[in-house]
Coordinates of all heavy atoms in Angstrom, one line a residue:
A1112 N 211.0 5.5 -142.6 CA 211.8 6.4 -143.4 C 213.1 6.8 -142.7 O 214.2 7.0 -143.3 CB 211.0 7.7 -143.7
K1113 N 213.1 6.8 -141.3 CA 214.2 7.1 -140.5 C 215.0 8.4 -140.9 O 216.2 8.4 -141.0 CB 215.2 5.9 -140.5 CG 214.7 4.7 -139.8 CD 215.7 3.6 -139.8 CE 215.3 2.4 -139.0 NZ 216.3 1.3 -138.9
I1114 N 214.2 9.4 -141.2 CA 214.7 10.7 -141.7 C 213.7 11.8 -141.3 O 212.5 11.5 -141.2 CB 215.0 10.7 -143.2 CG1 215.9 11.9 -143.6 CG2 213.6 10.7 -143.9 CD1 216.3 11.8 -145.1
A1115 N 214.2 13.0 -141.0 CA 213.3 14.1 -140.8 C 212.7 14.6 -142.1 O 213.3 14.4 -143.2 CB 214.1 15.3 -140.1
E1116 N 211.5 15.1 -142.0 CA 210.8 15.5 -143.2 C 211.6 16.5 -144.1 O 211.6 16.3 -145.3 CB 209.4 16.1 -142.8 CG 208.5 16.4 -144.0 CD 207.1 16.8 -143.6 OE1 206.7 16.5 -142.5 OE2 206.4 17.4 -144.4
D1117 N 212.3 17.4 -143.5 CA 213.1 18.3 -144.3 C 214.3 17.7 -145.0 O 214.9 18.3 -145.8 CB 213.5 19.5 -143.4 CG 214.4 19.2 -142.3 OD1 214.8 18.0 -142.1 OD2 214.7 20.1 -141.4
G1118 N 214.6 16.5 -144.6 CA 215.7 15.8 -145.3 C 215.2 14.7 -146.3 O 216.0 14.0 -146.9
F1119 N 213.9 14.6 -146.4 CA 213.3 13.6 -147.3 C 213.7 13.9 -148.8 O 213.7 15.1 -149.2 CB 211.8 13.6 -147.2 CG 211.1 12.3 -147.7 CD1 211.1 11.2 -146.9 CD2 210.6 12.3 -149.0 CE1 210.4 10.0 -147.3 CE2 210.0 11.1 -149.4 CZ 209.9 10.0 -148.6
P1120 N 214.0 12.9 -149.6 CA 214.5 13.1 -151.0 C 213.4 13.5 -152.0 O 213.1 12.8 -153.0 CB 215.1 11.8 -151.3 CG 214.4 10.8 -150.6 CD 214.0 11.4 -149.3
F1121 N 212.7 14.6 -151.7 CA 211.6 15.0 -152.6 C 212.0 15.2 -154.0 O 211.4 14.8 -155.0 CB 210.9 16.3 -152.0 CG 210.2 16.1 -150.8 CD1 210.8 16.5 -149.6 CD2 208.9 15.6 -150.7 CE1 210.1 16.4 -148.3 CE2 208.2 15.5 -149.5 CZ 208.8 15.9 -148.3
E1122 N 213.2 15.9 -154.2 CA 213.6 16.2 -155.5 C 214.0 15.0 -156.3 O 213.6 14.9 -157.5 CB 214.8 17.2 -155.4 CG 215.3 17.7 -156.8 CD 214.2 18.4 -157.5 OE1 213.3 19.1 -156.9 OE2 214.2 18.3 -158.8
A1123 N 214.7 14.0 -155.7 CA 215.0 12.8 -156.4 C 213.8 12.1 -156.9 O 213.7 11.5 -158.0 CB 215.9 11.9 -155.6
L1124 N 212.7 12.0 -156.1 CA 211.5 11.4 -156.5 C 210.8 12.2 -157.5 O 210.2 11.7 -158.5 CB 210.6 11.2 -155.2 CG 211.1 10.2 -154.2 CD1 210.4 10.4 -152.9 CD2 210.8 8.8 -154.8
R1125 N 210.8 13.5 -157.4 CA 210.2 14.4 -158.4 C 210.8 14.2 -159.8 O 210.0 14.3 -160.8 CB 210.3 15.9 -157.9 CG 209.4 16.8 -158.7 CD 209.4 18.2 -158.1 NE 208.9 18.2 -156.7 CZ 209.6 18.5 -155.6 NH1 210.9 18.8 -155.7 NH2 209.1 18.5 -154.4
E1126 N 212.0 14.0 -159.8 CA 212.7 13.8 -161.1 C 212.2 12.5 -161.8 O 212.3 12.4 -163.0 CB 214.2 13.7 -160.9 CG 214.9 15.0 -160.6 CD 216.3 14.9 -160.3 OE1 216.9 13.8 -160.3 OE2 217.0 15.9 -160.0
Q1127 N 211.6 11.6 -161.0 CA 211.0 10.4 -161.6 C 209.5 10.5 -161.7 O 208.9 9.5 -162.1 CB 211.4 9.2 -160.8 CG 212.9 8.8 -160.9 CD 213.2 7.4 -160.4 OE1 214.4 7.1 -160.2 NE2 212.2 6.5 -160.2
G1128 N 209.0 11.7 -161.5 CA 207.6 11.9 -161.7 C 206.7 11.6 -160.5 O 205.5 11.5 -160.6
Y1129 N 207.3 11.5 -159.3 CA 206.5 11.2 -158.1 C 206.5 12.4 -157.1 O 207.5 13.1 -156.9 CB 207.2 10.0 -157.3 CG 207.1 8.7 -158.1 CD1 208.0 8.3 -159.0 CD2 206.0 7.9 -157.8 CE1 208.0 7.1 -159.6 CE2 205.9 6.7 -158.5 CZ 206.9 6.3 -159.4 OH 206.8 5.1 -160.0
E1130 N 205.3 12.6 -156.5 CA 205.1 13.5 -155.4 C 205.2 12.6 -154.1 O 205.0 11.4 -154.1 CB 203.8 14.2 -155.4 CG 203.5 15.0 -156.7 CD 202.1 15.5 -156.7 OE1 201.8 16.4 -155.9 OE2 201.3 14.9 -157.4
A1131 N 205.4 13.3 -153.0 CA 205.4 12.6 -151.7 C 204.8 13.4 -150.6 O 205.0 14.6 -150.5 CB 206.9 12.2 -151.3
A1132 N 204.0 12.7 -149.8 CA 203.4 13.3 -148.6 C 204.2 12.5 -147.4 O 204.2 11.3 -147.4 CB 201.9 13.1 -148.5
V1133 N 204.7 13.2 -146.5 CA 205.6 12.6 -145.5 C 205.2 13.0 -144.1 O 204.9 14.2 -143.8 CB 207.1 13.1 -145.8 CG1 208.0 12.4 -144.8 CG2 207.5 12.7 -147.2
H1134 N 205.3 12.1 -143.2 CA 205.2 12.4 -141.8 C 206.3 11.7 -141.1 O 206.4 10.5 -140.9 CB 203.8 11.8 -141.3 CG 203.5 12.1 -139.8 ND1 203.9 13.2 -139.2 CD2 202.8 11.3 -138.9 CE1 203.4 13.2 -138.0 NE2 202.8 12.1 -137.8
A1135 N 207.3 12.5 -140.7 CA 208.6 11.9 -140.2 C 209.3 13.0 -139.4 O 209.3 14.2 -139.7 CB 209.5 11.4 -141.4
T1136 N 210.0 12.5 -138.4 CA 210.8 13.4 -137.5 C 212.3 13.0 -137.4 O 213.0 13.5 -136.6 CB 210.2 13.6 -136.2 OG1 210.0 12.3 -135.6 CG2 208.8 14.2 -136.2
G1137 N 212.6 11.9 -138.1 CA 213.9 11.3 -137.9 C 213.8 10.1 -137.0 O 212.8 9.5 -136.9
R1138 N 215.0 9.7 -136.5 CA 215.0 8.5 -135.6 C 214.6 7.3 -136.4 O 214.9 7.1 -137.5 CB 214.3 8.7 -134.3 CG 214.7 10.0 -133.5 CD 214.0 10.2 -132.2 NE 214.4 9.2 -131.2 CZ 213.9 9.1 -130.0 NH1 212.9 9.9 -129.7 NH2 214.4 8.2 -129.2
W1139 N 213.7 6.4 -135.7 CA 213.5 5.1 -136.4 C 212.1 5.0 -136.9 O 211.7 3.9 -137.4 CB 213.7 4.0 -135.3 CG 213.0 4.2 -134.1 CD1 211.6 3.9 -133.8 CD2 213.4 4.7 -132.8 NE1 211.3 4.2 -132.6 CE2 212.4 4.8 -131.9 CE3 214.7 5.2 -132.4 CZ2 212.5 5.2 -130.6 CZ3 214.8 5.7 -131.1 CH2 213.7 5.7 -130.3
N1140 N 211.3 6.0 -136.9 CA 209.9 5.9 -137.4 C 209.8 6.6 -138.8 O 210.8 6.7 -139.5 CB 208.9 6.5 -136.4 CG 208.9 5.7 -135.1 OD1 208.9 4.5 -135.1 ND2 208.9 6.4 -134.0
G1141 N 208.7 7.1 -139.1 CA 208.5 7.9 -140.3 C 207.8 7.1 -141.4 O 208.2 6.0 -141.7
V1142 N 206.7 7.7 -141.9 CA 205.9 7.1 -143.0 C 205.7 8.1 -144.1 O 205.8 9.3 -143.9 CB 204.6 6.6 -142.4 CG1 204.7 5.4 -141.5 CG2 203.8 7.8 -141.7
A1143 N 205.4 7.6 -145.3 CA 205.2 8.4 -146.4 C 204.2 7.7 -147.4 O 204.1 6.5 -147.4 CB 206.5 8.7 -147.1
V1144 N 203.6 8.6 -148.3 CA 202.9 8.1 -149.4 C 203.6 8.8 -150.6 O 203.7 10.0 -150.7 CB 201.4 8.4 -149.4 CG1 200.7 8.0 -150.7 CG2 200.7 7.8 -148.2
I1145 N 204.0 7.9 -151.6 CA 204.7 8.4 -152.8 C 203.8 8.1 -154.0 O 203.4 6.9 -154.1 CB 206.1 7.7 -152.9 CG1 207.0 8.1 -151.7 CG2 206.7 8.1 -154.2 CD1 208.2 7.3 -151.6
S1146 N 203.5 9.1 -154.8 CA 202.5 8.9 -155.9 C 202.9 9.6 -157.1 O 203.4 10.7 -157.1 CB 201.1 9.3 -155.4 OG 200.2 9.3 -156.4
R1147 N 202.5 9.0 -158.3 CA 202.6 9.7 -159.6 C 201.2 9.9 -160.1 O 201.0 10.3 -161.3 CB 203.5 8.9 -160.5 CG 203.0 7.6 -160.9 CD 203.9 6.9 -161.9 NE 203.4 5.6 -162.4 CZ 204.1 4.8 -163.2 NH1 205.3 5.1 -163.6 NH2 203.6 3.7 -163.6

């Protein structure tokens, strides 16, 4: 993801009907599960 969790685009995904669970702190890692 390469983004901190508080910067994750939750709203843009929500507009398409998706929720997201995120584990990220920025830099070069970061993982997520995106689901409708």
Side-chain angles (χ1 to χ4, degrees):
K1113 292 184 176 179
I1114 195 171
E1116 187 170 339
D1117 59 7
F1119 199 84
F1121 292 101
E1122 185 58 33
L1124 290 163
R1125 193 174 295 117
E1126 289 175 358
Q1127 290 194 196
Y1129 291 89
E1130 301 174 75
V1133 181
H1134 185 32
T1136 57
R1138 304 183 72 184
W1139 53 81
N1140 299 315
V1142 288
V1144 176
I1145 297 169
S1146 171
R1147 64 180 184 184

